[in-house]
């Protein structure tokens, strides 16, 4: 596209529920231990939303915090993109709920469901709207209440996932003043053989909800752990390598990836011949929050002054579908 408008990240915000579910708490629910969980995932605890907190309300809090950080009023927002696999309702969208909750009266919006890759997919979409000049203020929200689709009798999944929300406001770089977007990508590799890697079997048109699907817990996540591990390690390393190639590794300031598993991060860094401390990680506190994980981590890295000015910051995500993508910014 000719005459593309440079895009920047104007504001960041995040929200984590108050309730903490520790590894020791999980020991009372399934056959596991703090040592077993931490050695395999790097997770110590995760947050669990209360009964009065849904993904839309958490997303609205994160969105307002991003707007406050940017110094932009809700009325100035023109588009809201919400990445989630756990919307409040099948429809209408979470974007509509968030729009109402924050008072963004001029904004349109829609949801994007790409599981753990969702925020990167929504970010990529938002960039196109700003680059083209269609909108000047696009709010991107990643929010999940994964505790509603976790089987707390399955130790392969219940030890991993948590709840939370994060948001970014994208604007023309001249308004944002930071976080210049240099590149983005999204990819998928679908097919029936990929469904078993990570999926919720029931609740869609293929297998509508019945008393039997509920009794069999087919509305909760199932995961093929070894397949996820191999896919995530190779994809993480590939995304980081390819995004940095035009600029050089010496310009890298930080990697802020989807918080999938600390052991995956370590294995990917070994492939890249890169120190692990180049990666910002908060998985020990929150677990895997799917579409919320990238904006929550990015917000915390920003707050903790872990994003060096003038340096490159790459975010990579990968998940069910299979799906994966990245965005690269100069902070």
């Amino acid at each position: 596209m000719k005459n593309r408008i440079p895009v920047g990240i104007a504001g960041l915000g995040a929200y984590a529920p108050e309730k903490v579910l520790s590894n020791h708490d999980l020991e009372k629910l399934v056959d596991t231990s703090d040592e077993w969980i931490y050695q395999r995932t790097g997770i110590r605890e995760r947050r669990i939303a209360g009964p009065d907190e849904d993904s839309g309300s958490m997303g609205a809090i994160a969105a307002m915090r991003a707007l406050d950080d940017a110094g932009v009023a809700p009325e100035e927002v023109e588009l809201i993109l919400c990445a989630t696999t756990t919307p409040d309702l099948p429809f209408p969208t979470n974007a509509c709920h968030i729009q109402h909750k924050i008072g963004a009266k001029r904004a349109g919006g829609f949801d994007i469901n790409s599981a753990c890759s969702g925020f990167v997919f929504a970010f990529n979409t938002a960039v196109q709207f700003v680059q083209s000049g269609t909108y000047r203020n696009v709010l991107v929200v990643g929010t999940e209440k994964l505790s509603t689709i976790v089987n707390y009798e399955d130790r392969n999944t219940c030890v991993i996932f948590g709840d939370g929300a994060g948001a970014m406001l994208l604007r023309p770089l001249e308004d944002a003043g930071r976080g210049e977007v240099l590149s983005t990508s999204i990819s998928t590799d679908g097919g029936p053989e990929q469904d078993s890697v990570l999926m919720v079997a029931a609740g869609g048109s293929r297998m509508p909800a019945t008393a039997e699907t509920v009794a069999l817990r087919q509305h909760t996540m199932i995961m093929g752990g070894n397949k996820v591990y191999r896919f995530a390690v190779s994809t993480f390393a590939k995304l980081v390598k390819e995004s940095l190639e035009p600029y050089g590794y010496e310009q890298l300031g930080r990697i802020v990836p989807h918080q999938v598993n600390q052991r995956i991060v370590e294995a990917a860094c070994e492939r890249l011949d890169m120190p692990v401390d180049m990666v910002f990680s908060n998985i020990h506190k929150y677990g895997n929050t799917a579409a919320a994980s990238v904006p929550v981590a990015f917000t915390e890295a920003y707050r903790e002054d872990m994003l060096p000015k003038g340096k490159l910051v790459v975010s990579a995500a990968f998940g069910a579908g299979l799906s994966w993508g990245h965005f690269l910014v100069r902070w």
Side-chain angles (χ1 to χ4, degrees):
M1 182 186 298
K2 294 182 179 180
N3 300 319
R4 293 189 301 177
I5 297 171
V7 182
I9 299 173
L12 301 99
Y15 174 77
E18 289 187 11
K19 182 181 177 181
V20 174
L21 182 66
S22 70
N23 291 349
H24 295 297
D25 294 327
L26 285 170
E27 290 175 353
K28 303 170 187 176
L29 300 177
V30 291
D31 180 19
T32 192
S33 68
D34 174 64
E35 181 182 11
W36 188 91
I37 297 169
Y38 187 73
Q39 284 184 347
R40 287 162 177 78
T41 67
I43 300 169
R44 290 291 190 190
E45 59 189 36
R46 66 289 295 147
R47 301 296 181 91
I48 303 297
D52 60 339
E53 294 178 302
D54 50 42
S55 61
S57 63
M58 292 190 292
I61 295 171
M64 280 304 303
R65 290 176 178 175
L67 292 178
D68 289 343
D69 182 50
V72 171
E75 294 80 6
E76 297 179 68
V77 176
E78 297 155 287
L79 181 66
I80 299 171
L81 305 181
C82 180
T84 185
T85 55
T86 52
D88 298 349
L89 302 168
F91 63 88
T93 65
N94 263 19
C96 289
H97 295 167
I98 292 169
Q99 178 214 26
H100 172 72
K101 290 176 185 295
I102 68 174
K105 299 178 180 179
R106 296 177 53 226
F110 55 91
D111 287 1
I112 291 177
N113 180 355
S114 291
C116 294
S117 305
F119 186 84
V120 169
F121 277 50
F123 185 99
N124 182 296
T125 305
V127 168
Q128 314 309 314
F129 280 106
V130 180
Q131 278 185 337
S132 67
T134 304
Y135 298 118
R136 293 187 68 84
N137 293 296
V138 180
L139 189 58
V140 190
V141 182
T143 182
E144 300 284 12
K145 190 175 181 178
L146 296 172
S147 57
T148 59
I149 58 170
V150 166
N151 178 358
Y152 285 96
E153 294 180 0
D154 175 15
R155 74 171 185 174
N156 291 321
T157 54
C158 73
V159 304
I160 295 173
F161 297 99
D163 302 336
M168 294 185 186
L169 180 71
L170 300 191
R171 308 185 78 187
L173 183 61
E174 63 181 8
D175 297 330
R178 66 185 180 196
E180 179 183 7
V181 180
L182 301 177
S183 67
T184 63
S185 71
I186 56 174
S187 299
T188 56
D189 178 18
E193 70 280 2
Q194 309 292 24
D195 287 352
S196 61
V197 175
L198 186 61
M199 69 180 293
V200 173
S205 60
R206 184 189 300 176
M207 190 184 296
T210 64
E212 184 179 13
T213 63
V214 174
L216 293 174
R217 295 182 180 271
Q218 290 177 305
H219 298 267
T220 59
M221 282 189 282
I222 58 174
M223 182 173 66
N226 290 334
K227 291 181 180 179
V228 171
Y229 185 91
R230 291 193 298 270
F231 163 68
V233 170
S234 61
T235 303
F236 184 169
K238 180 181 178 183
L239 287 169
V240 171
K241 181 180 179 181
E242 291 182 351
S243 65
L244 291 175
E245 275 180 351
Y247 305 95
Y249 279 73
E250 68 278 1
Q251 294 195 47
L252 178 64
R254 195 72 60 204
I255 302 171
V256 186
H258 165 48
Q259 305 292 305
V260 57
N261 182 312
Q262 186 62 23
R263 307 310 164 220
I264 288 172
V265 169
E266 292 167 357
C269 286
E270 186 174 347
R271 287 195 181 195
L272 292 164
D273 193 24
M274 181 180 295
V276 177
D277 61 10
M278 288 298 293
V279 179
F280 181 86
S281 177
N282 60 7
I283 194 170
H284 60 289
K285 296 192 294 182
Y286 302 122
N288 180 341
T289 56
S293 110
V294 166
V296 169
F298 213 103
T299 299
E300 288 205 343
Y302 163 60
R303 290 174 178 168
E304 295 174 19
D305 199 25
M306 297 287 285
L307 305 178
K309 291 182 179 180
K311 290 286 191 176
L312 301 179
V313 181
V314 59
S315 285
F318 23 82
L322 298 168
S323 61
W324 62 95
H326 91 284
F327 62 85
L328 178 73
V329 303
R330 187 177 298 279
W331 197 253

